[in-house]
Amino acid sequence: MAAPILSYEGLGLVQGSGWLFRELDIYVGARDRLALIGRNGAGKTTLLKLLAGRIDPDEGKRTIVPGTHVVMLEQEPDFSGFATLMDFAVAGTDGPSEHEVAAIADQLGIDMAREAASASGGERRRAAIARALAQNPDVLLLDEPTNHLDLAAIDWLESWLSRFAGAFVAISHDRTFLTRLTRQTLWLDRGSIRRKEIGFGGFDEWTEAVFAEEARAAQKLDSKLRLEAHWLERGVTARRKRNQGRLEKLKEMRATRAAMIGGPGVAKLGLANDDVRSKSVIVAENISKAFSATPLDANGKGNAQRTIIKDFTFRVQRGDRIGIVGANGAGKSTLLKLLTGEIEPDSGSVTLAPTLDGIVIDQQRSLLSPDKRVRDILADGGDWVEVRGVKKHVQGYLKDFLFDPGVAETSVGALSGGERSRLLLAREFARESNLLVLDEPTNDLDLETLDLLQEVIADYQGTVLLVSHDRDFLDRTVTVTLGLDGSGKVDIVAGGYADWEAKRSKPVAAKSKAASASPAPPPPPQQRKKLSYKDQRDYDLLPGRIEEIDAEMAGIEAELSDGHLFTRDNAKFMALTEKLEMLRTEKATAEDRWLELAEEVEGLG
């Protein structure tokens, strides 16, 4: 291992009446790509500020290689006092030159002459990124770098970081971003920190193993408190099994929707079906919408019109999960407002089912009164909350949203930002509704809350309209993606973000070449009608073998749980440990093989 260029030894910080964390040892190597993971309130942002040297610890020694330039991209930079975005970007003794900032800003597509006071969240985020990257850092500390960015800007940032010669530590709720870029993980958990030389893609498996070990230790110690802490943190295994079932259901819904969309001719036939019509909750027919693209003249008229939506026809079916994606300014919010009847189209019509009863969830957590208790928000101060017509005890309902039941008496002002977002979700999801509208719901949510939101949406009985830049969240949630390219055209794709991206990336050159070539009769289909004898046998027998491996592993783990085995019979302890590792490897191989065959069986129909 190369020597670290930035480290802390015995790091401790007091927050409020106690220690936020203590005795942390943390280091950053010259080429590390670190994901910093932890629940909201764990202290991730505070830890970044300590690493950056912006705040002083109560304990610990910070060591940095002389000449190492550390730059932090804050989640919410302060733009007050700056006339333009460029003024903000070059401020301070360590600020970069205008030339350096402009070179980055041009690639990000941001006008740095824009007034800071009136700039949007996306423009401010781009300006902050341009300032950070233009400083030529050796270590980049990134706090939610993709917040307020559209998909094009996220792609650009990912590309830049993949070429970056230094090290970075990133806090992010964007699973795709972390999976693509990170190679090491720091897990801040209940006041301690763990490091593993795996990227975020291996985080779930790692945490599952850690929690399983904790559960075994808790059983051995007969500690109900530890078991409760294990449940509260994640409940990884049970949640993963439930989510696998939900993903299978989502695949089925996407397949059904794909058959309805089909090609243009198929779509028209499908829309003529009486059953399809009866299930429609929103019908948009040939709608168009344009806005003035230039300032109004003296008569109050714009000199040019920019088309946002053009000749768009679509039926939202009862139970659909619709994702709306596109670059900032492409018209996502406009399309959402058209479909919900908030604004009228310039031409065409939008018809909403008379029984439609919707709720809108956006970033409204600031509207929650800080003086009220959690119990007041959910149950008007009582013990029971009515959840879509069914009474639940407020403390039990809080557990459903990953709260410790004791938080019922806590004031809203004492909650972290992420906890307030979770409380808002709990309040809104309790209401009776059959239409759920979510506009960028994933901002400021931690990964556990994103998992929870995914589950709640999957279990929701009504229709969902969702605007998001979170690619992984869209892939796990929606049945149909409406993709806007900014020209007024709206692509309709059965599936999530990955399906829309795949459709967009089909090479135009290949299409042109195919069009110019003389038509040839299609080759006869070569698809196999069934699995080979060996594949079919593996498909049939592997589930039983996996169960046998699980039982054998459980027996070995029970023997290893004897705390005296290592000293009493070291040879047996080592043999059992080796056998357990071999079984884990065999199980992983068997599961991969069976999943591969299951996908093939699905393809064969």
Side-chain angles (χ1 to χ4, degrees):
M1 183 188 73
I5 59 174
L6 174 63
S7 65
Y8 253 113
E9 183 179 354
L11 174 62
L13 185 74
V14 173
Q15 189 173 81
S17 59
W19 292 92
L20 178 61
F21 36 66
R22 198 173 190 187
E23 297 180 358
L24 300 190
D25 293 329
I26 183 172
Y27 66 90
V28 179
R31 289 280 296 167
D32 280 355
R33 274 92 171 86
L34 283 153
L36 177 54
I37 308 300
R39 299 185 73 189
N40 282 344
K44 301 186 298 295
T45 295
T46 301
L47 183 56
L48 278 196
K49 290 179 178 178
L50 285 161
L51 287 172
R54 295 193 176 189
I55 58 178
D56 295 323
D58 294 294
E59 289 181 348
K61 177 185 177 184
R62 180 177 185 261
T63 304
I64 185 168
V65 171
T68 299
H69 189 199
V70 180
V71 173
M72 181 173 177
L73 173 67
E74 293 183 277
Q75 186 173 348
E76 296 293 342
D78 184 6
F79 284 79
S80 58
F82 297 106
T84 67
L85 296 179
M86 181 62 82
D87 291 338
F88 161 81
V90 299
T93 56
D94 59 343
S97 69
E98 288 195 11
H99 172 74
E100 291 170 319
V101 172
I104 300 291
D106 286 346
Q107 297 175 62
L108 274 168
I110 174 68
D111 178 9
M112 298 301 290
R114 184 90 160 80
E115 289 185 5
S118 59
S120 68
E123 290 170 328
R124 290 185 172 204
R125 172 57 41 169
R126 284 174 164 83
I129 289 173
R131 171 182 167 84
L133 303 190
Q135 293 181 66
N136 298 314
D138 299 301
V139 179
L140 257 176
L141 305 175
L142 305 167
D143 194 355
E144 294 291 358
T146 64
N147 266 11
H148 307 296
L149 294 185
D150 60 15
L151 296 169
I154 293 172
D155 284 341
W156 182 90
L157 181 59
E158 286 179 354
S159 176
W160 192 95
L161 287 171
S162 68
R163 302 189 306 270
F164 179 47
F168 68 76
V169 183
I171 300 170
S172 180
H173 66 266
D174 188 330
R175 290 175 179 268
T176 304
F177 176 86
L178 292 176
T179 300
R180 287 181 176 179
L181 292 174
T182 61
R183 296 200 295 262
Q184 299 88 17
T185 301
L186 291 171
W187 180 18
L188 188 58
D189 175 44
R190 289 166 283 175
S192 64
I193 198 158
R194 297 176 175 91
R195 175 175 172 135
K196 197 168 181 68
E197 301 304 302
I198 57 169
F200 178 75
F203 178 69
D204 279 345
E205 185 177 352
W206 174 31
T207 54
E208 184 173 337
V210 169
F211 285 137
E213 180 59 36
E214 285 189 1
R216 285 194 293 272
Q219 277 186 323
K220 190 167 69 174
L221 295 171
D222 193 26
S223 170
K224 292 182 180 179
L225 181 62
R226 291 285 298 279
L227 282 172
E228 180 69 8
H230 168 243
W231 166 82
L232 186 61
E233 279 300 311
R234 195 159 177 133
V236 178
T237 305
R239 174 161 293 155
R240 178 173 292 178
K241 289 178 179 176
R242 290 197 303 272
N243 282 346
Q244 285 300 319
R246 290 186 173 96
L247 288 174
E248 287 303 316
K249 180 182 176 182
L250 184 62
K251 287 180 183 177
E252 293 174 8
M253 294 170 70
R254 286 177 175 174
T256 302
R257 211 58 174 89
M260 292 175 61
I261 295 171
V266 177
K268 290 177 183 177
L269 288 173
L271 293 178
N273 183 283
D274 286 340
D275 184 53
V276 169
R277 286 181 177 276
S278 68
K279 292 180 179 177
S280 298
V281 294
I282 302 173
V283 179
E285 296 197 20
N286 296 316
I287 61 171
S288 296
K289 188 69 179 178
F291 292 106
S292 174
T294 57
L296 298 179
D297 60 21
N299 298 317
K301 295 183 179 180
N303 297 318
Q305 292 282 308
R306 180 184 165 222
T307 299
I308 304 296
I309 309 293
K310 183 177 181 181
D311 297 330
F312 175 59
T313 295
F314 184 62
R315 287 177 181 258
V316 179
Q317 303 296 105
R318 187 167 62 245
D320 272 349
R321 280 89 171 92
I322 308 295
I324 302 175
V325 300
N328 285 345
K332 300 186 298 297
S333 293
T334 299
L335 179 56
L336 187 67
K337 291 175 181 178
L338 286 167
L339 292 176
T340 55
E342 186 176 340
I343 60 174
E344 295 288 332
D346 296 332
S347 60
S349 65
V350 176
T351 305
L352 277 64
T355 57
L356 208 57
D357 180 16
I359 58 174
V360 179
I361 298 179
D362 54 21
Q363 296 302 302
Q364 300 173 358
R365 71 184 190 203
S366 60
L367 301 180
L368 297 174
S369 175
D371 298 327
K372 287 190 175 183
R373 297 172 302 168
V374 169
R375 181 190 300 278
D376 300 327
I377 298 295
L378 293 180
D380 293 328
D383 291 327
W384 298 89
V385 55
E386 191 157 320
V387 182
R388 295 186 294 280
V390 178
K391 279 193 172 183
K392 284 191 174 186
H393 196 279
V394 67
Q395 290 188 332
Y397 189 55
L398 283 167
K399 287 179 72 171
D400 291 344
F401 282 82
L402 304 181
F403 285 105
D404 184 317
V407 82
E409 305 304 326
T410 302
S411 67
V412 171
L415 300 178
S416 69
E419 287 171 328
R420 292 187 200 185
S421 295
R422 231 185 305 150
L423 179 60
L424 178 66
L425 292 176
R427 186 187 72 179
E428 295 302 308
F429 274 114
R431 292 174 48 192
E432 281 275 19
S433 69
N434 52 26
L435 174 66
L436 181 62
V437 181
L438 302 109
D439 193 354
E440 291 294 350
T442 63
N443 282 349
D444 302 327
L445 298 184
D446 59 15
L447 295 170
E448 285 80 9
T449 307
L450 282 174
D451 285 346
L452 171 69
L453 182 57
Q454 175 194 330
E455 291 179 17
V456 174
I457 290 174
D459 292 339
Y460 184 68
Q461 296 300 307
T463 304
V464 178
L465 299 179
L466 166 67
V467 173
S468 181
H469 292 132
D470 191 320
R471 296 155 292 181
D472 179 83
F473 187 75
L474 288 164
D475 284 338
R476 292 169 180 264
T477 308
V478 303
T479 56
V480 177
T481 297
L482 304 180
L484 292 83
D485 62 7
S487 69
K489 178 185 175 185
V490 182
D491 282 326
I492 304 171
V493 181
Y497 174 81
D499 300 286
W500 176 64
E501 189 175 44
K503 180 178 180 180
R504 283 196 308 162
S505 61
K506 286 182 180 177
V508 177
K511 291 182 182 178
S512 302
K513 184 177 179 181
S516 62
S518 57
Q526 299 296 320
Q527 188 178 14
R528 284 193 296 162
K529 300 297 183 184
K530 61 180 182 179
L531 295 177
S532 68
Y533 172 79
K534 181 180 182 304
D535 288 350
Q536 185 65 54
R537 182 175 173 81
D538 285 350
Y539 181 70
D540 293 336
L541 297 180
L542 280 173
R545 177 55 188 153
I546 291 169
E547 288 185 6
E548 291 174 1
I549 294 171
D550 281 335
E552 195 172 350
M553 287 171 60
I556 293 175
E557 287 168 347
E559 289 192 74
L560 290 174
S561 66
D562 178 357
H564 302 292
L565 179 61
F566 180 80
T567 53
R568 186 178 67 246
D569 191 344
N570 183 260
K572 182 178 181 181
F573 178 89
M574 297 304 294
L576 286 173
T577 303
E578 185 176 346
K579 176 67 172 176
L580 184 61
E581 191 59 38
M582 289 173 60
L583 287 171
R584 284 174 177 158
T585 302
E586 183 184 353
K587 180 184 175 183
T589 303
E591 286 178 333
D592 289 345
R593 169 70 170 153
W594 189 87
L595 286 171
E596 177 185 311
L597 291 171
E599 289 179 0
E600 194 168 339
V601 168
E602 185 179 345
L604 292 171

